[in-house]
Amino acid sequence: MKFVSVLFLTLSFSIVALATQPSIYGENGVVVAHDLEACEAGIEILKNGGNAVDAAVAVSYALAVTLPQAGNIGGGGFMIIHMADGQKFAIDYREMAPGKAHRDMFLDDSGKVVSQLSTRGGLAVGVPGTVAGLQLALDNYGSMTRKKVMKPAIKLAQKGFTIPFDLAYSFGWLNKAAEGFDETRRIFCRDGDIYKPGETFKQPDLAGTLKRIQKKGNAGFYEGPVAEALVKSISAKGGSITLEDLKNYTARVREPVVGTYRGLEVLSMPPPSSGGIALISMLNMMEPMIFDSVGWHSAQHIQMLAEVEKRAYADRSVWLGDSDFFEVPQEKLLSKAYAALRMVDYDSLSATPSDSIYPLNDRELAGIELGGHESEETTHFSVVDKWGNAVSVTTTLNWSFGSYVTVEGYGFLLNNEMDDFSSKPGAPNSFGLLGNEANAIAPKKRMLSSMTPTILARDGKVVLVVGAPGGSTIITTVLQVINNMVDFGMPVHDAVNVPRFHHQWRPDVIHYGPGAISPETMEVLRGMGYELTPRYGYGEVNAIARDKIFGGWIGAPDLKTASHGAAY
Ligand code: DON
């Protein structure tokens, strides 16, 4: 491995001096999530004696009301739990392919991927997992009743909440995008008379659905009138989910993937997410690197991360998929020895072309462009309680407002998560991500995800709860927050709020957010063989870190978007 010190590359350039002050501090509990109402729902539960899992369930249901782009009951997600006594769990409530799904379902007769079939309408919908996942978390690790934890969400749906600018804007956008989806336009766009910021948004249909779930649990969603309406609405839009698919949905408790980085324990999501394995494998590749004399976002720093990212995303494209269906070589991918091997061709003076970083058996995958993604939305939130339990949750409908199919009369949107499968080997999904056999479509299989809810601990005690939305950029976003804090000593609020960059192997390009790389550094990088492209809308990180001075918790919402935190 060539870790040559190249001084001329350490042209450090600090464009950003954000230094957002930590104003969210609590010793008893902290919630950081997109909406203030959702944070308050979590804090209410904590103040009433609930633990972080109870609060996380309350926050999830609240986001299903206040953030219809991503918060959901018609989608899925992942939850990482670190209990104060050291027990660790990963809850998988990823959507599943319906029983009638098959490998070539998004291809035409000539074998070409049919545009929008996997992203819009009934066939795009995976069997939703959120209600089952939240129930599993509550039953196993919570302490409160469903009745109590769902109360804040039901109140928000019934009484309404004030529409913030970003939601009104999204509704305006949806009004055009969801043409032909009448129920969606009726509920979220008032049939074209779009809501303005500051108006109150009430959702009586959704309140009714939530009350059913509150009363009957899984049976209130996966069976009975909600399930019947769900099947009918999907079928009206060309989909094939059946009542049996719904009844058979199961959320799973899995073992989190665990790694170490400079003495910290890193806990993250196993398959069907690629997030945890890719994150830990990148951290393993970074561990021998010395960042002390490296300028933050200098060409040298950007190169170090970009090279590590390329290798991990190349491996992702071949080796990662639902481990219930495909033998994921998890132990190997997580080992420090494999990481060292992966970096033998690393050259600190020049870019290793993506063409030469093929994962094994994957030489045909060449020249593939990043797919367009005009809108995307997922949401991450973090929770800690007074006992030291911590919960990290990322949940999504995939794209903003998912498939645009709203269940008629029940007020909730369905995901378009089927697009996260690999429709065809070598055909990129909407995030430009490539897949292969490991992520091919099969009945009841879970599509590969990039969601990376993560918790870091030192000596068994949680020090950071972190995660983000952002499709393929999720994993590199979480990586950069950890790198900023651990290797550059940034406080959490800076680590979250400074701009970011991203490489995902294909296309062979470094994407960068506004202000992330100076023009001078770009020149140095181009000289080393890198191509650079601007990218807007890096995921909203919502993190919580242990405060070293007073011993409480600091909430760090991403201020680049309109995120929030609450503490007590
Ligand atoms: O599971 C995944 O990786 C994607 N469905 C996440 C989508 C996403 O993050 C979109 N938004 N920001």
Side-chain angles (χ1 to χ4, degrees):
M1 216 179 308
K2 287 190 244 167
F3 289 120
V4 186
S5 166
V6 271
L7 280 178
F8 72 93
L9 289 181
T10 53
L11 279 175
S12 175
F13 186 91
S14 44
I15 316 166
V16 187
L18 265 174
T20 52
Q21 290 308 309
S23 52
I24 301 154
Y25 174 79
E27 288 177 9
N28 297 306
V30 177
V31 180
V32 181
H34 183 81
D35 290 305
L36 186 58
E37 292 87 353
C39 294
E40 283 170 346
I43 292 292
E44 183 185 322
I45 295 296
L46 293 176
K47 280 188 175 166
N48 286 334
N51 69 14
V53 177
D54 298 315
V57 175
V59 173
S60 266
Y61 276 117
L63 286 168
V65 179
T66 58
L67 188 68
Q69 305 97 307
N72 66 83
I73 52 175
F78 299 126
M79 182 183 291
I80 294 289
I81 302 173
H82 189 300
M83 301 300 280
D85 65 5
Q87 291 193 82
K88 299 149 198 162
F89 308 100
I91 313 271
D92 165 8
Y93 45 104
R94 183 67 162 167
E95 298 89 332
M96 292 168 87
K100 287 191 187 134
H102 58 94
R103 193 188 175 90
D104 298 333
M105 63 188 278
F106 298 124
L107 305 184
D108 65 16
D109 291 344
S110 64
K112 284 210 187 84
V113 177
V114 182
S115 163
Q116 296 194 338
L117 211 53
S118 62
T119 54
R120 223 178 134 87
L123 279 182
V125 184
V127 182
T130 297
V131 172
L134 297 181
Q135 187 63 54
L136 184 63
L138 194 64
D139 287 348
N140 287 9
Y141 315 111
S143 65
M144 278 184 164
T145 60
R146 192 169 57 237
K147 187 164 185 218
K148 270 194 185 157
V149 295
M150 289 189 70
K151 220 166 150 189
I154 292 171
K155 193 167 151 201
L156 282 165
Q158 269 174 335
K159 301 211 160 151
F161 62 95
T162 304
I163 300 181
F165 173 77
D166 63 323
L167 181 57
Y169 185 89
S170 296
F171 283 160
W173 170 87
L174 180 69
N175 185 43
K176 290 198 180 123
E179 209 161 299
F181 293 85
D182 295 344
E183 182 71 350
T184 298
R185 290 186 65 253
R186 177 178 81 80
I187 300 279
F188 301 104
C189 314
R190 209 160 42 189
D191 285 323
D193 173 22
I194 51 171
Y195 292 100
K196 291 184 186 58
E199 283 194 73
T200 301
F201 185 44
K202 294 184 184 174
Q203 300 174 78
D205 290 0
L206 178 60
T209 309
L210 293 173
K211 276 197 207 154
R212 268 177 198 283
I213 299 170
Q214 186 190 40
K215 200 163 164 204
K216 298 187 172 216
N218 286 342
F221 183 83
Y222 293 98
E223 295 171 47
V226 177
E228 280 155 25
L230 193 155
V231 167
K232 208 167 145 205
S233 300
I234 289 177
S235 147
K237 293 289 175 203
S240 66
I241 291 181
T242 61
L243 285 174
E244 208 192 340
D245 287 328
L246 289 168
K247 210 171 166 187
N248 288 338
Y249 180 84
T250 40
R252 294 285 189 81
V253 179
R254 298 191 189 270
E255 265 186 43
V257 290
V258 183
T260 56
Y261 187 58
R262 305 198 198 285
L264 289 158
E265 187 180 44
V266 182
L267 205 67
S268 194
M269 195 64 210
S273 185
S274 62
I277 291 183
L279 175 70
I280 291 169
S281 131
M282 290 192 285
L283 290 170
N284 285 343
M285 289 185 234
M286 280 159 59
E287 207 168 40
M289 295 174 165
I290 295 159
F291 287 92
D292 292 355
S293 60
V294 174
W296 183 81
H297 282 208
S298 62
Q300 191 182 4
H301 178 208
I302 291 163
Q303 191 215 13
M304 287 157 124
L305 264 61
E307 290 302 320
V308 154
E309 291 169 2
K310 275 185 212 174
R311 286 159 176 82
Y313 277 74
D315 285 347
R316 178 195 193 279
S317 75
V318 170
W319 298 118
L320 297 183
D322 183 348
S323 51
D324 292 343
F325 284 71
F326 180 87
E327 207 172 318
V328 173
Q330 183 164 317
E331 212 177 305
K332 176 176 162 184
L333 293 174
L334 289 174
S335 79
K336 301 217 188 250
Y338 176 74
L341 200 68
R342 209 60 180 96
M343 289 297 278
V344 283
D345 57 349
Y346 172 73
D347 177 350
S348 67
L349 293 173
S350 65
T352 313
S354 287
D355 277 354
S356 66
I357 307 187
Y358 286 110
L360 296 180
N361 307 324
D362 196 26
R363 296 198 170 266
E364 323 73 46
L365 301 178
I368 286 153
E369 294 302 313
L370 183 71
H373 44 93
E374 69 271 10
S375 78
E376 48 181 60
E377 196 79 40
T378 288
T379 194
H380 177 84
F381 65 88
S382 300
V383 184
V384 293
D385 67 22
K386 64 181 171 194
W387 296 284
N389 303 307
V391 180
S392 187
V393 177
T394 314
T395 182
T396 190
L397 291 166
N398 194 22
W399 285 18
S400 196
F401 303 107
S403 61
Y404 304 152
V405 180
T406 295
V407 177
E408 197 152 348
Y410 291 89
F412 67 95
L413 281 150
L414 294 165
N415 66 84
N416 63 345
E417 217 71 66
M418 289 298 284
D419 188 61
D420 274 350
F421 276 119
S422 177
S423 294
K424 181 183 170 176
N429 74 359
S430 59
F431 300 105
L433 288 168
L434 296 172
N436 244 296
E437 191 53 41
N439 191 31
I441 306 171
K444 301 189 181 169
K445 189 172 172 180
R446 295 167 204 248
M447 53 297 282
L448 186 61
S449 173
S450 299
M451 293 190 284
T452 315
T454 297
I455 294 177
L456 265 59
R458 190 185 289 286
D459 303 325
K461 301 271 177 254
V462 172
V463 293
L464 180 69
V465 188
V466 63
S472 56
T473 65
I474 292 174
I475 319 172
T476 59
T477 289
V478 173
L479 181 80
Q480 284 170 88
V481 174
I482 296 173
N483 181 232
N484 288 342
M485 290 181 75
V486 177
D487 296 310
F488 291 92
M490 282 186 202
V492 65
H493 43 282
D494 283 337
V496 163
N497 281 289
V498 290
R500 292 185 272 275
F501 59 91
H502 169 75
H503 202 305
Q504 61 180 52
W505 175 58
R506 296 286 188 196
D508 194 352
V509 164
I510 295 174
H511 294 269
Y512 60 93
I517 310 180
S518 75
E520 293 83 352
T521 302
M522 285 192 208
E523 275 318 297
V524 179
L525 285 165
R526 286 194 186 103
M528 296 167 82
Y530 291 100
E531 206 180 302
L532 295 128
T533 308
R535 185 191 197 278
Y536 300 97
Y538 278 78
E540 172 186 284
V541 178
N542 287 320
I544 299 173
R546 175 67 84 179
D547 169 52
K548 284 185 193 149
I549 299 177
F550 303 107
W553 299 97
I554 299 169
D558 204 324
L559 303 174
K560 292 194 284 312
T561 54
S563 202
H564 292 87
Y568 86 108

